[in-house]
Amino acid sequence: MEGAKREEGGPGMESEGKAAAWTMRRHHEFLREEVHGFPGFTHRGIPSPSGYNAPEQVHITQGDQVGRAVIVSWVTPSEPGSGHVKYWKDSGDGSEPGHKKMYDTKYIYEIGDGDTARRFSFTTPPPVGPDAAYTFGIIGDLGQTSDSNQTLEHYHSNTKGQAVLFVGDLSYADDHPLHDNNRWDTWGRFVEKSVAYQPWIWTAGNHEIDFLPEMGESVPFKPFLHRYHTPYKASKSTFPLWYSIKRASAHIIVLSSYSAFGKYTPQYQWLEEEFPRVNRSETPWLIVLLHSPMYNSYDYHFMEGEAMRVMFEPWFVQNKVDLVFSGHVHAYERSHRFSNVAYRVSNGQCTPAYDKSGPVYITIGDGGNVEGIANRFTEPQPSYSAYREASFGHAMLEIKNRTHAYYTWHRNQDSEPVVGDTQWFYNRHWYPHEEP
Ligand SMILES: [Fe+2]
């Protein structure tokens, strides 16, 4: 984004208003009433904004490969509205002609018209570079219950978070009769207080599939794909569910557990070509997001991520992925650094073993959704599992420089400053030794 004080739909700002209008609701009154039946959490506190056809469910995500563009999306409830985004720098009088470096800059943006215009802000990240410090929040399987609300409130109260890595399962609309799409709307209003102000990086989970052929809906992922956009083309992907971004000192690869990933498939081919594009001198931190965990020692969804593990774990180890974040299991687990890539049909070597080139796997599907907590474990705790706890919460990853990142997990029953689990991570490219 470059330019004068105020621009309309200028370069770098992709306006998604018209696309968002696809999800327009024609029965506004009904939309407002729908919120009453929520299990455990009423959304009466988050009504549609006042004014006819006011934009709602505003959310932003990264819009390009390096963090200088933003995708702004919203829904207008009664009819398609203006697709324009006005935005300007939030810096004094804004009189900085020719200002070129638009990283690390706070912008104000406005959508809607006249008395229904709504105004928000975001801050662009620092330029991509090896020592660019940046703090990500990590949230998964959020849903929209009182527990979800606690998770979001805790994250929101932590002023360190600059962007969210969301590991899938957003609204849980499909847990309601006929995949009640009003739940997508209520969820959009629920998370707006965070995602209208900082980008959430989207991963698709099983609750995004929304496959309902008996109702004539045979195209998977339709509500998610129409409501939540990703900058997939910028990373040479051919489909929105797998892509990558660079942000500060991190290269983040997003995969789809529920799209084909076998050899020769588009996702496989893309990932095979993506790893060589990762430049650890530019982005030391290599992070993978996917929904169904490859390692999970809970008695829920056990081994569901195994097929993808078999396909992709060797690449994770060869490319020294630092961290793999997953959701799906509604609890928390962090692994040691290890791998299980020695196995061949003839050698029987199928035991996970310490591997300093292996990622740390973190399951963080503990956002607090309508399906409840996962509180049964497989016993004994496998040696690769470092910490597991059946509590709702979220995590923070504070990247300090090219070698060090400080990671914390915050459970909901504690106040936000309390840390439930913590770890210093040492970068696998710049500190490829055994960690202290
Ligand atoms: Fe899931």
Side-chain angles (χ1 to χ4, degrees), residues 114-431:
D115 61 353
T116 63
R118 299 184 68 207
R119 195 173 280 192
F120 305 89
S121 66
F122 60 80
T123 301
T124 49
V128 169
D131 293 306
Y134 203 76
T135 298
F136 293 98
I138 304 121
I139 300 175
D141 301 67
L142 184 58
Q144 41 191 319
T145 69
S146 54
D147 292 315
S148 322
N149 192 40
Q150 229 181 349
T151 302
L152 188 66
E153 287 296 324
H154 277 215
Y155 172 68
H156 195 58
S157 72
N158 191 327
T159 54
K160 290 179 182 170
Q162 296 171 280
V164 168
L165 307 179
F166 192 86
V167 291
D169 283 0
L170 287 68
S171 74
Y172 287 76
D174 64 343
D175 272 353
H176 300 278
L178 304 179
H179 293 211
D180 184 356
N181 268 223
N182 292 298
R183 307 291 177 176
W184 278 106
D185 292 313
T186 52
W187 194 82
R189 295 204 292 268
F190 164 51
V191 295
E192 185 186 75
K193 66 187 293 182
S194 175
V195 71
Y197 295 92
Q198 58 175 253
W200 286 30
I201 308 306
W202 302 112
T203 311
N206 53 305
H207 287 281
E208 277 66 73
I209 299 173
D210 271 318
F211 178 64
L212 197 59
E214 60 272 35
M215 285 295 294
E217 188 47 82
S218 56
V219 179
F221 299 108
K222 193 186 276 181
F224 175 71
L225 289 173
H226 280 92
R227 290 165 184 264
Y228 293 91
H229 297 248
T230 68
Y232 67 100
K233 289 178 184 167
S235 55
K236 299 183 169 29
S237 168
T238 52
F239 201 64
L241 300 185
W242 54 90
Y243 64 98
S244 75
I245 59 163
K246 301 173 192 175
R247 199 164 181 89
S249 49
H251 188 119
I252 295 159
I253 292 176
V254 179
L255 299 177
S256 174
S257 298
Y258 306 100
S259 303
F261 52 80
K263 195 164 184 179
Y264 314 119
T265 63
Q267 184 170 208
Y268 179 100
Q269 282 189 1
W270 174 81
L271 186 58
E272 186 176 36
E273 291 162 13
E274 172 68 4
F275 275 118
R277 288 193 285 262
V278 178
N279 177 359
R280 302 296 276 275
S281 296
E282 181 189 47
T283 50
W285 295 92
L286 181 51
I287 296 168
V288 174
L289 312 181
L290 51 91
H291 186 64
S292 185
M294 295 181 173
Y295 289 94
N296 154 38
S297 74
Y298 281 80
D299 191 17
Y300 297 78
H301 305 301
F302 188 61
M303 302 268 290
E304 282 185 21
E306 185 67 1
M308 186 178 263
R309 183 191 72 76
V310 170
M311 293 307 296
F312 292 156
E313 188 187 12
W315 289 350
F316 290 1
V317 177
Q318 286 159 23
N319 292 285
K320 298 187 179 196
V321 169
D322 291 292
L323 295 158
V324 178
F325 290 105
S326 303
H328 202 37
V329 177
H330 301 159
Y332 174 72
E333 184 166 23
R334 173 175 57 82
S335 80
H336 292 294
R337 203 173 281 290
F338 71 103
S339 73
N340 189 8
V341 293
Y343 178 71
R344 299 289 177 271
V345 170
S346 56
N347 67 12
Q349 294 176 29
C350 55
T351 305
Y354 171 77
D355 187 339
K356 66 183 176 160
S357 295
V360 165
Y361 294 85
I362 291 171
T363 302
I364 185 129
D366 56 357
N369 61 71
V370 69
E371 296 176 354
I373 196 82
N375 55 9
R376 295 189 312 272
F377 305 96
T378 60
E379 299 289 358
Q381 183 173 12
S383 58
Y384 64 77
S385 174
Y387 185 88
R388 55 186 188 174
E389 181 178 324
S391 293
F392 294 128
H394 71 278
M396 306 292 291
L397 180 68
E398 298 175 38
I399 295 175
K400 305 291 188 187
N401 52 36
R402 74 185 68 193
T403 54
H404 287 66
Y406 183 61
Y407 167 83
T408 52
W409 173 67
H410 305 256
R411 59 171 84 82
N412 281 0
Q413 57 268 41
D414 296 329
S415 64
E416 181 65 15
V418 176
V419 172
D421 181 35
T422 182
Q423 189 79 9
W424 277 99
F425 290 124
Y426 293 76
N427 187 269
R428 291 300 85 195
H429 178 82
W430 290 96
Y431 190 98

Side-chain angles (χ1 to χ4, degrees), residues 29-82:
E29 325 77 63
F30 177 67
L31 186 69
R32 286 171 186 248
E33 275 174 26
E34 251 311 296
V35 301
H36 292 241
F38 251 28
F41 180 52
T42 172
H43 278 253
R44 287 187 196 189
I46 316 173
S48 294
S50 61
Y52 175 73
N53 210 34
E56 60 175 73
Q57 307 169 46
V58 180
H59 51 276
I60 64 172
T61 194
Q62 183 160 319
D64 65 357
Q65 172 95 120
V66 295
R68 289 211 317 157
V70 173
I71 298 173
V72 181
S73 306
W74 67 92
V75 171
T76 48
S78 301
E79 60 177 300
S82 161

